[in-house]
Structure formats: C-alpha cells, structure tokens
Amino acid sequence: MQGSPFRANKTNDKSIVALVLGILALVVPYLGFILGIIAIVFARKAKNEINQTGEQGRGFATAGLVCGIVGTIGYGILLLFLLVIITFTFS
C-alpha cells in the first residue's frame, strides 16, 4: 500500500484564539475593549495563515473578527459615554 496516510486538515490555532477572545470581548465588562482589539488582530493573522496553508478555521476566524469588532465598538461607545458624563459632571 503506497501513498501517504489519511491526515485530516488541522484547524488554525489563531482562529480558535480569535473566537474565544471575541466572545470574551462581548461578555467581559470594560476589558472587552482590549480583548476585542486583540481578537481582531488574531483573526486577521489567522485568515492570512489559512490562505497560505489551507488549514481549516476560516469560520472561527470570521466569527472572532465580528465578535471582536462588535465588542470593541460597544465598549468604545460605553467608555466615550462615561467620559462625557464625567466631564460634564465635574466641570
């Protein structure tokens, strides 16, 4: 029996990290802003690696990217709102 043994495609590790951080960006108060930015970075790196290597995990990377963007924007708006309230309260 010649040939290479069956080997399933590996899921990209960075895509899994991006998904986990993206979900955490949505549910962890105040740290979600930072976690969202990190999730976006990992998702972009994962997509680049997936394009080069043909690994699986594109859906995880996309979901992590979307969750990271939503978490970053959501907490960015919240922090901006709190800054405006504090500014007008103490001025």
Side-chain angles (χ1 to χ4, degrees), residues 82-91:
L82 290 174
L83 183 64
V84 168
I85 289 176
I86 290 171
T87 302
F88 284 122
T89 301
F90 294 111
S91 62

Side-chain angles (χ1 to χ4, degrees), residues 8 52-53 58 76-77 88:
Q52 291 176 352
T53 63
R58 182 176 303 281
I77 291 171
F88 284 122

